């Protein structure tokens, strides 16, 4: 494993995990330790999910829809997830930090040479690019495929980079963890100290839910720049900003929502980028997974779960007793066949849900409570795949394709 950063860690914030992903974590034997870190372990029974509230008004807003999660969700601190995973990596598996991949090249014997920013290189049989939304593995992959098609014109190659690269969704997300005590003292009885809340308004919304056994509130205010979708974001994709910037952005929201922005400490601002669906996730002995393959809008809390699905399918295929190195290209293609259509579908649903949250979707029936309840139902439908589509079917399909490919 080669990591660009100087240590294996993550940006400290919360993450929601849903039934599909939980099934995998259970299969991997990680559920017990992760459940201990959660505010409460997932239950196999209906449980309240996010509560939707109209908030873009000076007077107190109102809760208009209570989403139910038939199989519950689990909310975790990202650092806790990384700690649990890191502790499971066998000591014999080398991890190299401060190794930023720049590109790779294919060798005549089929092996792959990785080229790093510090001038060093290393050789591998199979390369799995899990290098996030700006993935250099992805860029090299599509350039290699273009080379196979005889494309050498630099302008054409640049156009390919652009087509297969991320685009700005037009949305800015502010992220910070709030100590529950601080919120409670500013706004006694604040709902986000107990339950997951979504404070909705025109072109803006705030998602807030308790994590770390209720000691912290994960708070993510979103603001959409009208006309920004698909344009180039000028500026740093992730920047430290002042709390005042967030307060100003949500100054037209009710007091309960503003209490959250006032309590945010050292917020960061993320320009949310996403990928348009790629035609491929693999070529030869190279594959991309996670955000490198399908970075998506955040509105269904799905990106990390989709990355974990990729890893599980690909990992089990590669670890299959009949898998051999000469079959690696077939195996990576099976991973692509199973995962690409599903992840592309999820990405489309994520984008559509963002419009609904910010009163821009076709289901917006007006500001009145009745219209908003209809909107709530539509939003709930967007989430249902998390618990109605069985992940194990995807694995069974992958296994069938593998048996066919290996004869
Ligand atoms: C505001 C927000 C809220 C979210 N909430 C949720 C949620 O609730 N649930 C959910 O499932 N998902 C959520 N997501 C999405 C989720 O965070 C991402 O989909 C997930 O982190 C993708 O994981 P990844 O490993 O593919 O990429 P990343 O998390 O970006 O990790 C990439 C890794 O590769 C390293 N790297 C990068 N470039 C190189 C290089 N050149 N060489 C070597 N190493 C490199 C990086 O340092 C990093 O360690 C959210 C995202 C945002 C922005």
């Amino acid at each position: 494993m080669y990591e660009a950063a100087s240590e294996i860690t993550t940006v400290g914030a919360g993450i929601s995990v849903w039934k599909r992903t939980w099934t995998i974590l259970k299969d991997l034997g990680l559920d017990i330790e992760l459940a201990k870190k959660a505010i409460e372990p997932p239950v196999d029974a209906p449980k309240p999910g996010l509560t939707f509230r109209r908030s873009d008004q000076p007077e107190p807003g109102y809760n208009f829809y209570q989403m139910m999660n038939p199989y519950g969700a689990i909310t975790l601190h990202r650092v806790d997830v990384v700690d649990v995973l890191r502790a499971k990596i066998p000591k014999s598996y080398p991890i190299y930090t401060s190794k930023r991949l720049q590109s790779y090249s294919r060798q005549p014997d089929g092996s792959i040479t990785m080229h790093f920013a510090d001038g060093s290189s290393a050789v591998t049989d199979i390369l799995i690019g899990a290098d996030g939304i700006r993935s250099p593995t992805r860029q090299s992959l599509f350039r290699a495929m273009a080379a196979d098609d005889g494309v050498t014109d630099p302008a054409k190659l640049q156009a390919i980079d652009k087509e297969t690269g991320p685009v700005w969704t037009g949305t800015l997300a502010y992220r910070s963890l709030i100590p529950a005590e601080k919120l409670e003292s500013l706004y006694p009885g604040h709902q986000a100290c107990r339950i997951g809340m979504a404070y909705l308004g025109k072109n803006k919304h705030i998602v807030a839910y308790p994590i770390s056994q209720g000691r912290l509130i994960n708070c993510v205010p979103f603001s959409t720049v009208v006309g920004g979708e698909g344009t180039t974001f000028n500026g740093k994709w992730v920047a430290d900003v002042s709390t005042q910037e967030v307060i100003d952005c949500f100054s037209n929201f009710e007091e309960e929502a503003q209490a959250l922005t006032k309590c945010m400490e050292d917020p960061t601002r993320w320009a949310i980028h996403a990928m348009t669906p790629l035609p491929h996730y693999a070529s030869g002995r190279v594959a991309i997974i996670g955000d490198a393959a399908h970075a998506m809008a955040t509105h269904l809390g799905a990106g990390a779960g989709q990355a974990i699905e990729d890893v599980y399918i690909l990992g089990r295929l590669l670890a299959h007793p009949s898998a051999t190195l000469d079959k690696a290209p077939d195996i990576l293609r099976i991973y692509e066949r199973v995962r690409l259509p599903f992840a592309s579908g999820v990405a489309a649903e994520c984008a559509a849900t963002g419009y609904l949250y910010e009163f821009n979707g076709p289901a917006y029936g007006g500001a009145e409570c009745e219209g908003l309840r209809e909107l709530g139902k539509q939003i709930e439908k967007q989430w249902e795949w998390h618990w109605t589509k069985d992940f194990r079917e995807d694995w069974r399909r992958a296994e069938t394709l593998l048996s066919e490919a290996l004869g």
Side-chain angles (χ1 to χ4, degrees), residues 29 47 67 149 165 252 258 363 387 395:
K47 191 177 121 177
M67 203 168 86
D149 292 340
N252 63 327
Q258 285 203 38
W387 45 87
W395 166 246

Side-chain angles (χ1 to χ4, degrees), residues 3-4 15-16 78 99 101 130-131 136 175 290-291 298 301-305:
E3 164 58 52
I15 191 164
S16 307
R78 281 171 189 251
K99 283 285 173 194
L101 185 86
D131 42 359
R175 301 174 86 179
D291 277 11
T298 59

Side-chain angles (χ1 to χ4, degrees), residues 28 68 76 115 193 201 350 395:
L28 295 173
M68 293 299 288
L76 292 158
H115 306 282
C193 290
C350 287
W395 166 246

Side-chain angles (χ1 to χ4, degrees), residues 7 24 50 52 93 99 106 110 116 129 147 151 157 199 219 225 235 268 288 290 308 345 381 395 398:
E7 58 176 326
I24 297 173
L50 283 175
F52 294 100
Y93 287 26
K99 283 285 173 194
R106 297 173 294 180
F116 297 102
V151 179
L157 290 172
Y199 298 90
C219 180
V225 175
T268 46
I288 46 175
I308 290 169
K381 280 208 179 79
W395 166 246

